Amino acid sequence: MSKANKQQIYSGLNSKAVHAGTQRDHFGGVNTPVQPSTAIEYLNESGSVPYPRNFTIPNHEAVATKIAALEGGEAALVLATGMSAISTGILSAVQSGQHILMQSNIYGGTRAFVDILRWKHDIRVTLIDRMTPEELDSNMTGDTALVYMESPTNPLLDIIDISSVCTWAKDNRILTMIDNTFASPVNQQPLKLGCDIIMHSATKYMGGHSDLMAGALIGKNDFIERCRTLSSVYGMSLNAVDLSLLERSLKTIVLRVQKQNSNAMEIAQWLSKHPLIAKVHYPGLSSHPGHEIAAKQMSGFGGMMSFELSGNDTSFRDAFLRSLSMISVATSLGGIESTMTIPAQTSHSLLTPEERNAMGIHDMLIRFSIGIEDAEDLIQDLERALL
Ligand SMILES: *Cc1c(COP(=O)(O)O)cnc(C)c1O
């Protein structure tokens, strides 16, 4: 019997990250081999007719098993992008004519999908600013089938009380789905907080090296089977090479994210004392409005933060960004390298300045994805650029 088939006797997150799902090759190599074939013999005992678009290849099974283990779920599906996980998850949970309660300050791509849901699928969506049981109560209808949330949010790191939303939804027999991208399974495991469906943009912390795109859905077996059927038809599966890259990356996710957590805490504290920084949004700081709930539902505060430079002179902001040496100004997040973006120019560029200000997204706001470099070097980079 190969090692991969032996009874699994580990329980820690690092052990799961390294071992869960591995399908060893017939040489006894310790890794799942890359198996990119699209023509696969089918006259075998299993009776199934394999085709990679239907998520049937071993590289998919290996990564899906690992991701399910990391989130503590029954099953997982790995898709081509985070957006394919969002669209597949929502369309598998909700039928035409039904209604969704969704947090208003969600990821921009999810917000764009709301328009598709409304116009092409006849699904009604109510966007809610404060995800409290009272607000949910007053906005639910007889057709409400799903509550969709995200915590921490982009870019202000707002925190939703996940278990209170899930308790409310269970009482009302409504499904819950969460975008757990910012926290990663290392810092937050929403199934344990009562959530039904988790999605990840695996392009971010799961991939972790800014070199692949992928998405993941985690939930109960029957729900994931429904997602698999739908996304096979839509053609949202991921190729064997990127699945293999993702499997390799996930082996170090706990180490990476823990280093990002500790770097972020040190940097947030340093920034909050700097005279040229007006405000730091990081759930690990006791000054953050969501700090207590974050401390209750997260095991680490994450590697994402945002901060506001003093004043409103955007040329000071741009000079600061240009003066950084190690930290890049680049889109995306969750990589081992530190990056910054200006949300007013990127994720929220389509809104008017008035709309942005109403949401608290000012021109001097910078989103910071903290990498695994040495905290002293990152602080030195910031200090020099702020001179
Ligand atoms: C990036 C991102 C997505 C979308 O993921 P893609 O892999 O880019 O499709 C969804 N949610 C959050 C929070 C993200 O950061």
Side-chain angles (χ1 to χ4, degrees):
M1 189 160 76
S2 88
K3 264 219 168 55
N5 299 327
K6 279 189 189 160
Q7 198 197 350
Q8 302 185 336
I9 49 163
Y10 48 80
S11 57
L13 210 58
N14 270 300
S15 309
K16 289 176 185 170
V18 175
H19 293 291
T22 306
Q23 300 206 4
R24 293 186 163 201
D25 64 26
H26 57 273
F27 300 120
V30 297
N31 293 303
T32 310
V34 187
Q35 291 172 284
S37 294
T38 53
I40 302 161
E41 290 192 351
Y42 70 92
L43 295 178
N44 52 30
E45 304 95 71
S46 80
S48 65
V49 181
Y51 187 52
R53 176 160 50 69
N54 303 335
F55 303 87
T56 55
I57 57 175
N59 289 111
H60 178 269
E61 200 176 305
V63 191
T65 304
K66 195 188 290 298
I67 290 175
L70 288 171
E71 284 286 12
E74 278 182 19
L77 192 70
V78 185
L79 304 98
T81 58
M83 279 314 300
S84 46
I86 289 169
S87 51
T88 296
I90 292 178
L91 288 174
S92 301
V94 183
Q95 310 300 319
S96 290
Q98 289 186 319
H99 175 242
I100 301 174
L101 291 167
M102 187 181 280
Q103 189 177 323
S104 58
N105 53 344
I106 41 161
Y107 177 71
T110 314
R111 179 64 188 78
F113 186 58
V114 166
D115 294 334
I116 309 273
L117 288 169
R118 287 171 170 161
W119 299 333
K120 296 212 184 276
H121 295 277
D122 191 26
I123 289 170
R124 283 165 304 122
V125 182
T126 304
L127 298 170
I128 296 183
D129 293 338
R130 287 169 37 79
M131 297 289 274
T132 59
E134 298 75 45
E135 283 296 303
L136 293 165
D137 243 353
S138 62
N139 285 287
M140 82 178 266
T141 73
D143 296 320
T144 306
L146 180 69
V147 175
Y148 186 99
M149 63 193 135
E150 193 175 312
S151 181
T153 64
N154 178 31
L156 293 174
L157 289 298
D158 287 340
I159 302 291
I160 307 298
D161 188 337
I162 299 168
S163 63
S164 85
V165 172
C166 294
T167 303
W168 177 86
K170 281 221 163 48
D171 288 347
N172 290 284
R173 298 173 178 276
I174 296 169
L175 284 174
T176 44
M177 177 165 170
I178 188 166
D179 183 334
N180 202 31
T181 301
F182 265 41
S184 93
V186 180
N187 290 327
Q188 180 167 281
Q189 304 200 325
L191 297 177
K192 296 199 181 104
L193 301 168
C195 209
D196 299 304
I197 307 154
I198 300 178
M199 76 71 48
H200 280 278
S201 168
T203 311
K204 315 295 167 52
Y205 287 100
M206 288 194 167
H209 297 69
S210 310
D211 59 1
L212 67 87
M213 298 200 78
L217 284 163
I218 304 100
K220 290 236 158 42
N221 282 320
D222 58 343
F223 180 76
I224 295 299
E225 252 339 281
R226 266 173 28 222
C227 294
R228 181 197 296 265
T229 306
L230 186 86
S231 51
S232 295
V233 174
Y234 275 113
M236 295 168 167
S237 48
L238 186 60
N239 66 82
V241 175
D242 284 337
L243 282 163
S244 174
L245 260 182
L246 178 56
E247 182 182 1
R248 172 194 174 129
S249 298
L250 281 165
K251 294 182 183 186
T252 55
I253 190 172
V254 186
L255 298 179
R256 286 187 279 109
V257 170
Q258 282 174 347
K259 175 67 175 160
Q260 285 161 319
N261 288 345
S262 69
N263 276 355
M265 186 63 104
E266 206 172 324
I267 290 166
Q269 281 164 350
W270 184 85
L271 281 173
S272 61
K273 292 187 199 114
H274 198 284
L276 293 177
I277 304 297
K279 201 164 189 181
V280 180
H281 305 271
Y282 184 62
L285 296 177
S286 55
S287 58
H288 189 281
H291 175 69
E292 268 172 41
I293 297 167
K296 193 180 67 175
Q297 69 191 16
M298 301 177 80
S299 49
F301 295 111
M304 292 302 301
M305 73 176 70
S306 57
F307 61 90
E308 287 161 38
L309 295 167
S310 301
N312 44 25
D313 176 7
T314 53
S315 63
F316 163 51
R317 175 198 72 191
D318 296 344
F320 161 71
L321 292 173
R322 267 195 297 273
S323 311
L324 294 165
S325 66
M326 190 166 71
I327 301 164
S328 308
V329 180
T331 53
S332 200
L333 60 105
I336 51 174
E337 65 286 296
S338 296
T339 57
M340 288 185 183
T341 58
I342 305 168
Q345 292 178 346
T346 55
S347 56
H348 294 73
S349 61
L350 295 179
L351 303 177
T352 64
E354 292 73 35
E355 286 173 318
R356 280 198 293 270
N357 280 332
M359 294 173 76
I361 297 169
H362 307 296
D363 285 346
M364 302 299 277
L365 181 75
I366 294 172
R367 188 187 76 182
F368 193 1
S369 170
I370 283 89
I372 64 165
E373 302 96 333
D374 298 287
E376 309 84 82
D377 290 335
L378 289 167
I379 288 173
Q380 198 176 77
D381 201 9
L382 294 166
E383 191 162 31
R384 283 207 191 114
L386 282 168
L387 279 180

